Amino acid sequence: MAKNLATKILEAHLMEGELVPGTEIALKIDHTLLQDATGTMAMLEFMAMGVDRVKAELAAQYIDHNLLQTDNKNADDHAFLTSAAQKFGVHLSKPGNGVSHQVHLERFGVPGKTMLGADSHTPSAAGLSMIAIGAGGLDVALAMAGHPFYLPCPRIFGVKLTGQLQPWVSGKDVILEMLRRHTVKGGVGKIIEYYGPGVATLSATDRATIGNMGAELGATTSVFPSDHRTREFLEAQGRGDVWTELSADPGCSYDEYDEIDLSSLEPLIACPTSPDNVVPVREIAGLKVDQVIVGSSVNSSFRDLMTVCRILDGRRVAPHVSFNINPGSRQVLENVVAQGGFMMLLLAGAQVHQPGCLGCIGMGQAPGTDQVSLRTFPRNFPGRSGTKGDRVYLCSPETGAAAGVFGVVTDPRELGKLMAWPAVENPERYQLDDSSIIAPLPAAEAARVEIVTGPNIVPFPDFEPLPDDLSAEVILKVGDNISTDTIMPAGNKVLPFRSNIPAISQFVFDQLDPEFHLRAKEKGNGVVVGGENYGQGSSREHAALAPRYLGIRAKIAKSFARIHKANLVNFGIVPLSFKDPADYDLLNPGDKLLIPHLRTMIIRGAEVIPVEVGGRTFLTILDISDRQRDELLAGGTLNYVRMQENEE
Ligand code: MIC
C-alpha cells in the first residue's frame, strides 16, 4: 500500500501500539534536544532516574535562552549543564553558539530520524525531514534514559505545495498563510506533511521556518521530503554522507488535505496578540514602527539575514527605528561576516546581537510602552516580550527590513522600486566552526566528572499520590487559547528560576492575577478552569510543575493543547475537559468542587468523571491512556517510573 512519508518514519520507529489516530503509540527516539531554560529541570529529572549515561543515539544540550548574566543564576545553570552534559554523554553547545534549532539543523540533523526536544519549536528539524516533536522536559529526560516517547497517534494532514514564491515573499509567508487558514488550533493532533512540486523550490532553512511555526498551529510536528535541496544543505555543511532520499509513495493518501499555490502568496503579517491573527502586510501599511528584530529561533538562517543585509546595503534604518539582528548561530554570523554582510548592517545602523533566543523569550529587547515591534519570531502572545500590553507583529525578514527602511509597516514588494530582489541563496559550502560544541567524553573519563550545582539549583519537589476524594476550590477561571506564557511567564526576571520551583511558582499567572500563588497555597487543593486550547504554545513543563507545587490538583478546560496536557499528567494534575462546554459558564473562582472517588474511578478506567459543585453535578471527560492513569495515581510520572524500577 502506498504510504505517506510521516507514516513511513513513524512505522520505522514504532515500539508500541498501532498507527490508528487518537490511540496511544510509543516511538523510539533517536535524537534528544535540551535547551537551558527547560534543560536544567530536565537534567535534574534525568539524574533522578539514576542512569549513568544517555542511551539515545545522539543527545544535545544547547545554552541559548538564559544568556543575560545579571547575577550568579544563569551562569550557575550554564556550569551545571556543562558538567552534566560531560558526565552523561551529551553534546554541549556553549552560550553564544546559537539557537538549538538552527545549530541542530546545521551540525546534527539526519533525515528520517526522530527527535524529541524540550522546546515546542523542535519541529524546525522538519527542514531535514526529521520527525521532531516538542515535549515537556520530563519526557525528554525519559527519552535520554532510553524510554520510548508516548503520544496520541496523530492524523496526517497533507499540504500540497505548487508554484513558486514570488520575489519578496518567503518561507515565513507560507506558514503565516497556514495560520491564517487553520488558526492556532488547526494542527492539534496532526502531523503536517508538505508534498508536491512546490517543495523543491524551498531550501532546507525555508522548510525549517515552516516546521518551526507548525508549533503555532498546535501541530504535533511537520515533515518535508528529503530531496536534492536537503542534500545540498547537508553537503554545504560538510555532512553530505548522512543524506538519504525520503518521500511519500506515489498515490499515497492523507487523513486531510490542503493546497497552497506558492505563486499566489503575498507578504503576510500576524497582528497582536496571536500568531493566527494574520492579514496581508498591505492592509496595515503605514503603521509607524518603533522596533524591528530579525532572527532568534526562526528566520535566523544565512539566507534570512543576508537578505536583510542586502536590503539595507547602502541605506540607513529610519532614525526612529531600533533595528536588531539576532543571528541563529555563530555559523550564520561567521558566514554573514565572511560575505561582507556585517558591514552592511553596521553602516545601516542596525544593532547586531549575539546568536541566541534573546527577545523571543523576553531575554532583553522588550519594546517600550505602546511601541510597535515587528519581529520574525514565532510567537506574539500577550506580554511575552516582557512589556505589558505589548504590540508585537510577526513577519518575514523582508517585511522587517522594509519597515526598517521606511519606518512604517510596508509591503516589502515596495522595495522593488528601490532595488532588484536580492535572491540570496544559502552558501554552497558554509564556513564551518565547531569550536563552541563540546563533544561527549569517553565513558571512563565521564564517570570522573563532578556535577557542579550552584545555589540556583534546587532539588525537584516531591508530590504525593492522588487522593481518593478530591475536594478543591476554583482558584482562577480563564478564557480560550491561554498560552503557557500566561500561565508561567518567561523573561529575564523569571527564567533564571527555571531550576528553582519554589521561587518560580510565585510568578504563576502573574500577568492575570499576581495574587494567584498566595491564594493557591492558602487553599491547599486548587483547580484552574480554562476554555479551548488551554496551554497552547511553549513546551515549558514549569506551567504544570509550578501550579502543582502551589497545590493545583486538577484543571478543567474545554480542550487542552497537546504538550501541556501531557505535562499536567507528568506532574500529577488531572486534565479534565467539560463534557458539555456550556458547563464552563457555571463555574466561578471560589466555587468548592468535590470529585468523589476520583482515584477509584481512574483505577477502573472511567472516562466520564462527575464533579459536584454547590449541590449540582456536571460531567467531565478524562481522555488519557492507561499508562497516564497509572502516572496520575502515583502523583506524577517520576514517582511512577521510580515505583516501576523498585518493582523490577
Ligand atoms: C518558546 O518559544 O516559548 C520557547 C522559549 O522556545 C519555549 C521553551 C521554554 O519555555 O523554555 C518552547 O516553546 O518550548
Side-chain angles (χ1 to χ4, degrees):
M1 204 183 98
K3 290 177 184 158
N4 56 52
L5 176 57
T7 300
K8 291 194 211 180
I9 303 179
L10 291 178
E11 270 181 5
H13 291 85
L14 194 64
M15 295 187 71
E16 285 173 40
E18 283 175 45
L19 295 182
V20 176
T23 61
E24 188 172 74
I25 54 171
L27 293 180
K28 173 179 180 293
I29 296 299
D30 302 320
H31 290 193
T32 60
L33 178 152
L34 293 181
Q35 37 92 337
D36 51 335
T38 51
T40 46
M41 192 46 68
M43 202 58 105
L44 289 171
E45 288 157 352
F46 176 78
M47 285 162 65
M49 290 170 203
V51 180
D52 302 343
R53 210 167 159 81
V54 158
K55 299 211 166 71
E57 193 175 299
L58 185 137
Q61 167 72 61
Y62 296 90
I63 299 182
D64 54 4
H65 281 65
N66 291 349
L67 297 179
L68 296 186
Q69 295 180 204
T70 52
D71 62 16
N72 65 302
K73 293 192 202 67
N74 290 342
D76 282 357
D77 285 356
H78 300 169
F80 164 66
L81 289 173
T82 307
S83 62
Q86 291 270 276
K87 179 135 198 107
F88 299 120
V90 177
H91 293 266
L92 187 281
S93 171
K94 290 170 64 176
N97 193 45
V99 179
S100 62
H101 313 300
Q102 176 67 25
V103 180
H104 209 88
L105 208 65
E106 293 166 354
R107 307 312 300 147
F108 297 118
V110 178
K113 298 271 181 194
T114 52
M115 174 155 79
L116 197 68
D119 189 298
S120 62
H121 295 118
T122 303
S124 306
L128 284 184
S129 309
M130 295 178 77
I131 290 277
I133 304 177
L138 181 51
D139 285 320
V140 180
L142 285 163
M144 288 165 67
H147 295 262
F149 174 56
Y150 292 89
L151 76 163
C153 177
R155 290 160 62 79
I156 316 296
F157 178 7
V159 179
K160 184 172 179 184
L161 300 180
T162 59
Q164 177 155 20
L165 293 172
Q166 298 295 307
W168 309 104
V169 183
S170 62
K172 180 63 144 253
D173 299 304
V174 179
I175 190 65
L176 288 174
E177 172 65 8
M178 284 292 285
L179 279 153
R180 192 186 69 75
R181 292 186 190 186
H182 300 287
T183 80
V184 289
K185 292 184 296 204
V188 174
K190 301 172 196 170
I191 292 183
I192 303 177
E193 178 169 327
Y194 294 91
Y195 68 102
V199 167
T201 68
L202 300 172
S203 66
T205 55
D206 283 335
R207 297 175 191 180
T209 297
I210 297 168
N212 175 299
M213 284 185 66
E216 272 43 78
L217 290 159
T220 303
T221 191
S222 302
V223 69
F224 281 87
S226 169
D227 56 8
H228 67 283
R229 302 302 302 269
T230 322
R231 187 179 57 206
E232 160 193 299
F233 179 79
L234 286 168
E235 280 174 353
Q237 290 289 337
R239 301 200 297 118
D241 55 321
V242 303
W243 179 76
T244 39
E245 188 165 11
L246 297 170
S247 59
D249 294 333
C252 72
S253 62
Y254 294 94
D255 297 315
E256 239 175 89
Y257 292 87
D258 196 4
E259 180 166 337
I260 297 180
D261 173 6
L262 298 174
S263 322
S264 70
L265 289 186
E266 63 172 309
L268 297 171
I269 191 161
C271 301
T273 49
S274 179
D276 61 0
N277 196 4
V278 175
V279 298
V281 174
R282 62 186 158 75
E283 275 185 20
I284 58 161
L287 178 71
K288 181 171 170 263
V289 173
D290 303 281
Q291 184 191 45
V292 176
I293 314 180
V294 179
S296 296
S297 82
V298 73
N299 292 120
S300 54
S301 68
F302 176 86
R303 189 226 71 103
D304 290 325
L305 298 199
M306 202 62 199
T307 299
V308 173
C309 297
R310 295 244 178 261
I311 294 172
L312 294 185
D313 189 14
R315 290 174 232 287
R316 298 269 323 161
V317 164
H320 65 276
V321 175
S322 156
F323 195 96
N324 299 256
I325 299 283
N326 298 348
S329 67
R330 179 181 290 271
Q331 185 195 83
V332 167
L333 184 55
E334 283 182 11
N335 283 272
V336 167
V337 170
Q339 299 212 15
F342 199 88
M343 203 50 150
M344 299 173 199
L345 294 173
L346 291 183
L347 293 179
Q351 292 168 257
V352 185
H353 302 265
Q354 65 171 313
C357 307
L358 311 179
C360 184
I361 185 70
M363 262 293 155
Q365 303 180 322
T369 309
D370 286 335
Q371 289 189 351
V372 168
S373 177
L374 260 59
R375 300 169 166 213
T376 67
F377 300 172
R379 305 200 153 127
N380 59 349
F381 298 132
R384 180 177 161 93
S385 67
T387 298
K388 276 207 172 132
D390 52 8
R391 299 169 70 194
V392 175
Y393 294 74
L394 308 175
C395 64
S396 69
E398 289 82 350
T399 302
V405 171
F406 296 109
V408 293
V409 173
T410 308
D411 185 320
R413 289 173 296 186
E414 291 292 315
L415 288 167
K417 296 179 183 155
L418 305 182
M419 63 183 291
W421 160 239
V424 174
E425 295 287 347
N426 284 323
E428 275 178 25
R429 187 84 193 178
Y430 286 89
Q431 189 156 312
L432 302 175
D433 170 12
D434 284 337
S435 58
S436 291
I437 298 180
I438 307 179
L441 290 174
E445 252 179 87
R448 291 196 292 273
V449 172
E450 293 284 332
I451 305 264
V452 182
T453 42
N456 196 40
I457 310 285
V458 173
F460 187 83
D462 278 334
F463 298 131
E464 75 271 15
L466 193 71
D468 196 31
D469 294 335
L470 180 65
S471 65
E473 184 168 325
V474 176
I475 311 286
L476 185 70
K477 180 175 177 180
V478 294
D480 289 345
N481 294 321
I482 288 294
S483 80
T484 50
D485 278 297
T486 299
I487 304 170
M488 182 76 264
N492 67 323
K493 199 166 89 185
V494 184
L495 272 179
F497 293 116
R498 284 277 178 100
S499 43
N500 184 342
I501 298 304
I504 206 170
S505 66
Q506 295 172 38
F507 298 94
V508 173
F509 283 117
D510 194 42
Q511 271 195 71
L512 292 184
D513 177 0
E515 306 281 293
F516 177 89
H517 69 110
L518 297 173
R519 251 188 2 267
K521 270 204 123 161
E522 182 201 317
K523 301 292 176 191
N525 284 342
V527 168
V528 173
V529 175
E532 296 283 2
N533 198 26
Y534 178 86
Q536 69 161 329
S538 142
S539 68
R540 59 188 74 149
E541 61 189 355
H542 302 74
L545 184 45
R548 174 68 190 88
Y549 176 80
L550 295 173
I552 300 301
R553 303 304 298 260
K555 292 203 180 179
I556 311 181
K558 291 186 186 166
S559 66
F560 291 93
R562 173 186 64 88
I563 307 180
H564 187 59
K565 185 173 173 189
N567 284 338
L568 291 176
V569 174
N570 279 349
F571 298 105
I573 298 181
V574 189
L576 298 169
S577 40
F578 291 101
K579 185 154 193 289
D580 176 0
D583 286 333
Y584 167 88
D585 298 330
L586 304 176
L587 292 182
N588 287 304
D591 284 350
K592 301 214 172 19
L593 309 184
L594 177 66
I595 313 183
H597 306 302
L598 175 60
R599 190 178 174 87
T600 314
M601 283 190 287
I602 293 181
I603 294 173
R604 291 194 185 139
E607 280 178 9
V608 177
I609 309 283
V611 180
E612 296 174 11
V613 54
R616 285 178 295 112
T617 300
F618 67 95
L619 300 181
T620 61
I621 304 290
L622 182 61
D623 179 18
I624 55 172
S625 68
D626 291 346
R627 179 190 50 84
Q628 287 179 308
R629 285 171 186 268
D630 290 338
E631 290 169 356
L632 272 185
L633 294 171
T637 304
L638 214 46
N639 288 356
Y640 174 68
V641 170
R642 283 197 197 116
M643 269 166 45
Q644 283 209 314
E645 274 162 11
N646 289 343
E647 277 168 21
E648 275 164 15

